Every structure is written in C-alpha cells, then in structure tokens.
C-alpha cells in the first residue's frame, strides 16, 4: 500500500467505527460533531431522503419500513441536536443545518467508497468507476473519443462515465464530490476547486462566406459591424471575447446568444451571423458548411482549457490513472495534432 493510499485510509479510519468527535462542519453555524454513534448507514439513509424528497419513497428505495427510517432520522437529529429536515405536504426538504450535513455526508460517503475500492484493487488491475465532465463547445470535445478509447485499451476494468454539460454544472458536481474531474475553460482559483492548465487556445472568427470576409487573419477592430452569435455573458468564452474587445475600446455586436453547438453551426451556415470559437471547435464548425475561418489578431485572444479537480478530495487510483491519460491527450492537442490513442501506459 503506497503512502497516499495509506494516508487516505488512515484519515478515514474513524469511519470504520461508530464514533466521531469534534469534527467541524461549517464556519457559518459552527455546528460540530460531539462524541456520537453516527454511522455510515444512517448517513446513506439521510442522503437518500434528501435526494428523493420523500420519506415514503426513500423507504421503498432503501427497502426499509418507513417507521424504522423515521426513527433513524430522529436519532440523527438527536445526535446533531439540530432539525435536519422540514416536513411539508409535498414531502421533506433540508433545513440549513440539514443542507450542511448533506454536503459533508456526500463527501464522506464518496471518500469511504474510494478507500474501499483502492484497498481492494491494491496490487491488482485498476478497476472502478471514474467520472469525467467535458464542457460542450470546447476543446474537450476533441478529447472525448480518444479518452474513451485509451482508457478501454489500458485499463479495461475501469468503468468510464463521460458527462457533457455546462462548465458551471460540472464544477458544482466536482465541489459536491459527485464527479472526479472535468475539462472546461477557465484557470482562476475558485473555493473548493483547483485548475490544472492543459493548453491555451486562440480564438477564431467563423463567418458565412456570404459576408465577404477573407480567410486568414482579421483584427478585432474589423469586427465592429459584424453581427455575432455568442453565448451568454456568464459563459467563460463570452467573458474572454468581451475582454478582448474591451482592450480596443469596443463591444461585440451580439445579435443572438446561443449555447447549442448544433444550433450555432446551423445559424452560421444559414448566414444569420458569425461566431467566435476556440481553434479546435472553429475547425469543426468551419468544416461543416459554406463558411470561412479567420484567426483573430490585434489583439490575439486566448482562452485557457483546464482540468478541474476538487481542491480537498483526493482522486482514487483509477481516477488518477484516467487523469494521466487525459494530460497526455491534451499535450497532443496543444501541439496541434490529433490526440494519440495508445494501448501502452
């Protein structure tokens, strides 16, 4: 057993017994565990009740009688000396204290599951589930198939779950301990998250050929009157576009805000407007219709593509292996070549 696994198992050792003592949950309400007999099963019950929002339905899913489940909840509230759930006509919802416990319970249960998997697989072939988020419309889309193929070739016993979703959704899943990692735009530190830069992608204009824009390069100042199709202002790509335009005292002429890659490509091909995309995505869109692709200069606008991780939860052994493969594939992408697929580690 290596040092990392030994440390993780030792840190979780108290979970194997029945007592926790003086473990702070949050600075907001300073709620702490006293010496109690909270156990993992009770935490699992609580998480399932919150997820489903109904004691009756949770009891059915857990295959436990509702009175017994209610008693487990009463015991849990007694141990924390806090009301954890509010009962309404529509079911149950977590109180502020309950929401705090819910977040911590998810992390604790996931860490315990990781420890179990790591201990079982020590010295054996890597196996287990690994979840990777890929933000659509980013360079991550070029990594999805090579990642799946490489993981299958090198670690066939790893079950890879790929989730394509918005960056804000993926980062929240990672913060809550419900996803291992994600590839998305951004590199600025966020509480609960860490970012490892994969590459900086230059932004390109993709425009209908009917606009009469010549391929090659185009200055930001030449985009003053070009109708643009861009994502909403909270989107990382939009933020970098806005910042690039602001550097020359301009704002983009946005005629529609679109975050669907399929709709965006169709709208550009239909001549409704042009768009601005990272190099990897621009090449895909430009290859699917009668459009031109231009590198944006004066100034060049770059956007960071990073792998996003929890800053406090360690990766399981299988997840660490998948991350290493992801970094290899991203290195190929940064060199402008198709990510390699290799069966060798």
């Amino acid at each position: 057993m290596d040092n990392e696994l030994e440390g993780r198992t030792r840190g979780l050792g108290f979970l194997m017994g029945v007592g926790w003592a003086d473990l702070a949950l949050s600075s907001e309400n300073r709620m702490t565990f006293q010496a109690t007999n909270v156990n993992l099963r009770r935490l699992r019950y609580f998480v399932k009740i919150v997820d489903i929002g109904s004691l009756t339905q949770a009891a059915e899913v857990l295959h436990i009688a509702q009175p017994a489940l209610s008693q487990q909840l009463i015991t849990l509230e007694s141990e924390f000396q806090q009301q954890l759930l509010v009962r309404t006509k529509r079911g149950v919802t977590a109180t502020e204290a309950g929401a705090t416990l819910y977040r911590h319970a998810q992390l604790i249960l996931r860490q315990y599951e990781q420890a179990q998997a790591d201990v079982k697989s020590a010295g054996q072939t890597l196996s287990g589930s690994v979840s990777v988020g890929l933000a659509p419309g980013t360079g991550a889309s070029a990594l999805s198939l090579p990642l799946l193929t490489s993981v299958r070739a090198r670690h066939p016993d790893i079950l890879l779950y790929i989730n394509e979703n918005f960056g804000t959704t993926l980062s929240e899943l990672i913060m809550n301990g419900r996803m291992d990692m994600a590839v998305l735009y951004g590199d600025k530190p966020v509480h609960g998250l860490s970012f490892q830069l994969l590459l900086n992608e230059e932004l390109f204009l993709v425009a209908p050929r009917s606009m009469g824009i010549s391929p090659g390069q185009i200055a930001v100042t030449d985009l003053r009157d070009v109708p643009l199709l861009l994502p909403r202002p909270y989107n990382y790509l939009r933020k970098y576009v806005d910042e690039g335009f602001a550097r020359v005292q301009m704002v983009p002429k946005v005629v529609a805000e679109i975050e669907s890659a399929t709709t965006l490509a169709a709208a550009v091909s239909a001549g409704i407007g042009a768009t601005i995309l990272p190099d990897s995505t621009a090449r895909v869109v430009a290859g699917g219709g009668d459009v031109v692709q231009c590198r944006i200069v004066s100034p060049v606008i770059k956007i960071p593509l990073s792998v996003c991780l929890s800053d406090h939860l360690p990766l399981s052994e299988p997840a660490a292996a998948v991350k290493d493969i992801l970094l290899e594939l991203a290195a190929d992408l940064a060199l402008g070549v198709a990510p390699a697929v290799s069966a060798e580690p």
Side-chain angles (χ1 to χ4, degrees):
M1 184 182 296
D2 60 27
N3 292 335
E4 180 183 355
L5 178 56
E6 182 179 352
R8 183 185 305 148
T9 307
R10 185 170 55 248
L12 287 166
F14 65 91
L15 290 175
M16 308 297 285
V18 295
W20 296 346
D22 298 325
L23 177 63
L25 282 179
S26 70
S27 58
E28 291 82 5
N29 57 22
R30 301 183 182 278
M31 181 169 60
T32 60
F33 284 100
Q34 303 300 318
T36 73
N37 63 346
V38 177
N39 57 53
L40 290 173
R41 179 178 296 178
R42 200 167 290 140
L43 284 182
R44 289 194 183 100
Y45 288 167
F46 175 72
V47 168
K48 184 61 67 176
I49 293 170
V50 175
D51 284 340
I52 295 178
S54 166
L55 273 167
T56 302
Q57 294 179 26
E60 292 176 358
V61 171
L62 294 167
H63 303 291
I64 181 175
Q66 183 175 333
L69 183 60
S70 297
Q71 184 57 52
Q72 292 288 335
L73 177 59
I74 292 171
T75 302
L76 197 62
E77 291 182 325
S78 175
E79 288 165 346
F80 284 96
Q81 299 180 357
Q82 294 276 350
Q83 182 179 359
L84 301 175
L85 296 176
V86 176
R87 296 160 181 79
T88 68
K89 293 181 179 180
R90 296 183 178 180
V92 293
T93 58
T95 62
E96 183 176 351
T100 300
L101 176 60
Y102 177 77
R103 292 195 301 271
H104 284 273
Q106 286 181 310
L107 301 181
I108 290 167
L109 292 171
R110 183 161 186 240
Q111 281 188 288
Y112 179 68
E113 290 168 359
Q114 284 186 355
Q116 282 186 312
D118 290 347
V119 170
K120 289 179 180 178
S121 63
Q124 301 177 6
T125 302
L126 288 178
S127 63
S129 299
V130 178
S131 52
V132 180
L134 300 175
T138 70
S141 59
L143 299 174
S144 56
L145 185 57
L147 177 64
L148 182 60
T149 305
S150 295
V151 171
R152 287 291 303 145
R154 298 191 199 181
H155 308 290
D157 292 331
I158 290 180
L159 177 62
L160 187 63
Y161 166 56
I162 296 179
N163 180 358
E164 291 195 9
N165 216 319
F166 292 115
T168 50
T169 301
L170 296 177
S171 58
E172 183 177 343
L173 289 172
I174 293 172
M175 272 192 278
N176 292 337
R178 304 181 76 170
M179 179 161 287
D180 292 306
M181 68 196 82
V183 180
L184 42 79
Y185 287 130
D187 61 353
K188 298 176 182 177
V190 177
H191 179 67
L193 300 174
S194 66
F195 292 86
Q196 183 171 346
L197 181 66
L198 296 177
L199 61 119
N200 282 300
E201 285 199 273
E202 290 190 9
L203 297 188
F204 282 70
L205 179 76
V206 179
R209 197 174 299 276
S210 59
M211 283 188 174
I213 296 175
S214 302
Q217 296 185 348
I218 189 167
V220 173
T221 51
D222 293 332
L223 300 177
R224 186 180 304 275
D225 297 320
V226 174
L228 294 175
L229 312 171
L230 297 176
R232 301 297 300 275
Y234 59 77
N235 184 286
Y236 258 105
L237 173 61
R238 175 67 178 275
K239 289 179 180 178
Y240 279 89
V241 170
D242 288 346
E243 289 174 2
F245 274 68
R247 286 159 62 184
V248 291
Q249 289 78 51
M250 285 174 51
V251 294
K253 183 182 178 181
V254 181
V255 297
E257 294 177 331
I258 302 173
E259 293 187 345
S260 163
T262 303
T263 302
L264 181 63
V268 173
S269 296
I272 296 174
T275 190
I276 295 176
L277 295 169
D279 183 20
S280 58
T281 312
R283 278 184 270 128
V284 174
V285 175
D290 191 20
V291 300
V292 296
Q293 178 180 342
C294 305
R295 177 171 176 258
I296 297 175
V297 296
S298 303
V300 170
I301 307 175
K302 295 183 178 181
I303 185 168
L305 185 68
S306 303
V307 57
C308 176
L309 305 162
S310 168
D311 67 1
H312 57 283
L313 287 176
L315 289 176
S316 65
E317 298 300 313
V322 170
K323 179 194 170 190
D324 289 341
I325 294 175
L326 193 57
L327 294 177
E328 293 175 18
L329 298 175
D332 289 339
L333 190 62
L335 294 174
V337 299
V341 176
S342 171
E344 298 298 326

